[in-house]
Amino acid sequence: DEDLKARQIIAAYYYDNINNPLITLPKRLPDAENVYHLFPIMVKGDGRNALQAYLQEHGVGTVIHYPIAPHKQECYANEAWNTPQLSLPITEQIANEELSLPISPTMTLEEAEEVVRLINEWKR
């Protein structure tokens, strides 16, 4: 319960303070419906890698979850359901734009403030 509460505090801070127009936050669910295991944002256009590099330069680690759309992964290339290659634009957009911000029960509010400051100051 304490770990979840700590994650909720960080997530709420992100929701309330990230205001960069190039960033789309995940839909906000009631805390009872979200454990905030991840905090994935979408970076509009082709800026995701640039934002990730910028944050890394400032000591903020991020992760790209599923950088290759599932239907484009080699293991599915020859599946009958994927021949010819499927076009799934939303899935492909998520693979190209998703970036997971740090969120952890050990993260401090001051660390979250720094993440938010950097994101809000970032320009492509």
Side-chain angles (χ1 to χ4, degrees):
D1 289 343
E2 289 176 26
D3 286 355
L4 178 56
K5 184 62 179 168
R7 288 176 184 271
Q8 289 170 340
I9 290 168
I10 300 301
Y13 190 81
Y14 284 163
Y15 278 117
D16 293 341
N17 294 283
I18 292 175
N19 60 20
N20 186 318
L22 298 172
I23 305 300
T24 301
L25 300 175
K27 179 181 177 185
R28 193 169 190 171
L29 300 171
D31 282 348
E33 297 178 23
N34 195 333
V35 297
Y36 301 106
H37 169 66
L38 302 173
F39 197 91
I41 61 171
M42 301 288 282
V43 184
K44 293 182 182 163
D46 60 354
R48 189 256 321 267
N49 293 344
L51 175 58
Q52 185 180 42
Y54 166 81
L55 291 172
Q56 183 65 42
E57 288 170 14
H58 290 85
V60 176
T62 59
V63 176
I64 298 170
H65 285 91
Y66 313 108
I68 301 171
H71 66 287
K72 292 192 170 229
Q73 293 183 17
E74 185 178 337
C75 61
Y76 297 124
N78 297 318
E79 294 294 324
W81 55 264
N82 200 17
T83 307
Q85 181 79 55
L86 292 173
S87 173
L88 301 173
I90 295 171
T91 302
E92 293 163 20
Q93 179 183 6
I94 291 169
N96 291 328
E97 296 182 2
E98 185 276 337
L99 184 66
S100 293
L101 299 181
I103 190 164
S104 144
T106 62
M107 189 174 181
T108 66
L109 190 55
E110 291 77 20
E111 290 169 327
E113 290 169 353
E114 180 66 3
V115 172
V116 168
R117 182 188 67 77
L118 290 166
I119 289 173
N120 288 342
E121 290 177 356
W122 178 74
K123 295 174 177 56
R124 200 171 359 177

